[in-house]
Amino acid sequence: MHAYSDEQVSRYLQYIVYQGDARQQASQDPIGCLTTLQRLHMARVPFESLSLHYSRHRLLSLDPQDLFAKIVGTGRGGYCMEVNAFFAAVLRGLGFTLYSAGGRVKIPTVGYTGWDHMVNLVTIQNQRYLVDVGFGSNGPPHPIPLQNGHEYTGISPARGRLQHRHLSDSHSDPHQRVWLLSTQDSPSAPWTERYHFVETEFLPGDFELMNLRTMTTPQSFFVQSVMCLRTILDDRTENVVGVLILHRDYVKRRVGAESEIVEQLESEAQRVGALEKYYDIVLSPEEQRGIWGLASELRPKAPHA
């Protein structure tokens, strides 16, 4: 499995504004270091689908060097397989022990998809942790121990829960077990199943096939939707307090239980400007032309007759 070089790791740490000696901290306080890395990463590296729309070829590479150039070199992010593969190579470069596994996402009214999600499983002192920097606003914002029934605080007031269980609506074999991640919007809200994953290590070839399907099938959420998301930290960058979401024709900020549309987008020029304004993402003229003619292109509404 690939690990980034010391020079690449140093560039990345500078990019996310990591304070202190990460290598020393990873050795002395690995869970603290991992938690800080995930928090800073998700606030700096967006979860986004832009290259499936603002591109001539609309193909996504999982090659580690391509990912480094895209994320650290050009200030972009990616969807789950991109950002989690990238983060895995960073963690290996810092000496963490981990592997990547596959997951299935639950779509409302549809059920579980096929294998189309990647997670990282990091082992610290004989305890495995779920580390996922690529599931958007409903993903865990910090490492989650693989302990059946473990509940955690997400982006307040949301909560999360991890269970090791049989899926009565999916499994035909009653002995099957998967790790199931669920969330609730508030302590009084119902639990919603988000995705499940297994502890089997997936190999690069597995993710290549998963990536091919996810980036090309017309039914893919990422193919259909222009989206970009990053987390919001408090003033001391110590806690995740919200999310900033660009989805199709709006930018929404959610901090705690409060949510507001901060900008309604009515044209491609306005959406391109919003990406630079809120995410520091600058699209080249060639990239901007890549969306012309696609269903996802944001066209000004025609005036009423």
Side-chain angles (χ1 to χ4, degrees):
M1 298 296 102
H2 189 83
Y4 286 130
S5 67
D6 288 346
E7 188 272 336
Q8 287 175 309
V9 170
S10 295
R11 284 182 59 192
Y12 167 76
L13 294 172
Q14 183 178 18
Y15 182 71
I16 65 170
V17 196
Y18 190 100
Q19 302 293 326
D21 188 334
R23 291 175 180 81
Q24 183 180 51
Q25 291 170 356
S27 175
Q28 297 177 351
D29 179 19
I31 188 61
C33 177
L34 180 60
T35 300
T36 300
L37 285 167
Q38 183 170 353
R39 180 175 68 250
L40 295 176
H41 176 100
M42 295 176 69
R44 184 68 180 91
V45 179
F47 174 59
E48 48 98 336
S49 65
L50 302 179
S51 293
L52 295 179
H53 304 272
Y54 297 101
S55 165
R56 289 296 186 188
H57 55 74
R58 293 186 280 280
L59 298 175
L60 304 178
S61 171
L62 298 183
D63 178 85
Q65 302 308 326
D66 290 343
L67 291 173
F68 190 88
K70 179 181 182 181
I71 293 171
V72 179
T74 63
R76 293 283 292 278
Y79 68 13
C80 70
M81 282 173 271
E82 295 177 281
V83 291
N84 276 323
F86 170 84
F87 198 56
V90 168
L91 295 180
R92 291 191 191 96
L94 284 166
F96 285 94
T97 299
L98 70 145
Y99 65 88
S100 300
R104 302 184 185 100
V105 178
K106 190 166 190 178
I107 306 298
T109 74
V110 175
Y112 283 104
T113 60
W115 298 113
D116 61 0
H117 187 55
M118 173 195 281
V119 299
N120 289 316
L121 301 179
V122 181
T123 300
I124 297 175
Q125 297 176 351
N126 298 318
Q127 172 66 60
R128 280 181 181 162
Y129 292 84
L130 165 66
V131 178
D132 185 357
V133 297
F135 197 68
S137 60
N138 293 309
H142 49 77
I144 307 300
L146 267 59
Q147 297 172 355
N148 186 30
H150 178 81
E151 295 188 11
Y152 63 91
T153 301
I155 301 174
S156 182
R159 291 185 55 76
R161 180 176 67 191
L162 193 60
Q163 297 170 294
H164 194 237
R165 53 170 283 192
H166 168 76
L167 301 177
S168 59
D169 60 348
S170 300
H171 288 143
S172 58
D173 178 0
H175 299 290
Q176 291 292 309
R177 296 289 186 276
V178 293
W179 287 101
L180 171 64
L181 184 84
S182 303
T183 65
Q184 59 177 178
D185 293 335
S186 67
S188 61
W191 287 97
T192 300
E193 296 180 12
R194 296 301 181 182
Y195 66 79
H196 65 248
F197 61 93
V198 294
E199 290 186 70
T200 302
E201 181 174 7
F202 277 42
L203 303 180
D206 300 317
F207 290 119
E208 289 292 343
L209 291 173
M210 292 162 59
N211 184 45
L212 177 63
R213 177 182 179 277
T214 305
M215 71 180 173
T216 58
T217 183
Q219 293 77 27
S220 169
F221 168 80
F222 301 104
V223 172
Q224 294 178 350
S225 303
V226 174
M227 56 82 62
C228 189
L229 178 150
R230 67 172 179 82
T231 57
I232 300 170
L233 303 180
D234 62 17
D235 292 339
R236 300 177 64 183
T237 71
E238 293 179 349
N239 297 290
V240 179
V241 296
V243 289
L244 186 66
I245 304 169
L246 183 153
H247 184 228
R248 295 181 177 172
D249 63 352
Y250 65 82
V251 179
K252 178 171 67 175
R253 178 184 288 110
R254 176 164 62 84
V255 176
E258 301 297 322
S259 180
E260 64 170 337
I261 302 295
V262 296
E263 189 168 346
Q264 194 69 47
L265 309 175
E266 299 179 355
S267 67
E268 274 303 323
Q270 193 175 358
R271 185 158 63 184
V272 168
L275 288 169
E276 182 173 0
K277 177 180 179 180
Y278 299 107
Y279 302 92
D280 294 324
I281 292 176
V282 179
L283 299 177
S284 69
E286 181 180 1
E287 288 174 320
Q288 294 178 41
R289 291 192 296 269
I291 201 170
W292 290 359
L294 297 184
S296 57
E297 180 185 0
L298 195 55
R299 302 176 180 89
K301 296 179 181 178
H304 294 292

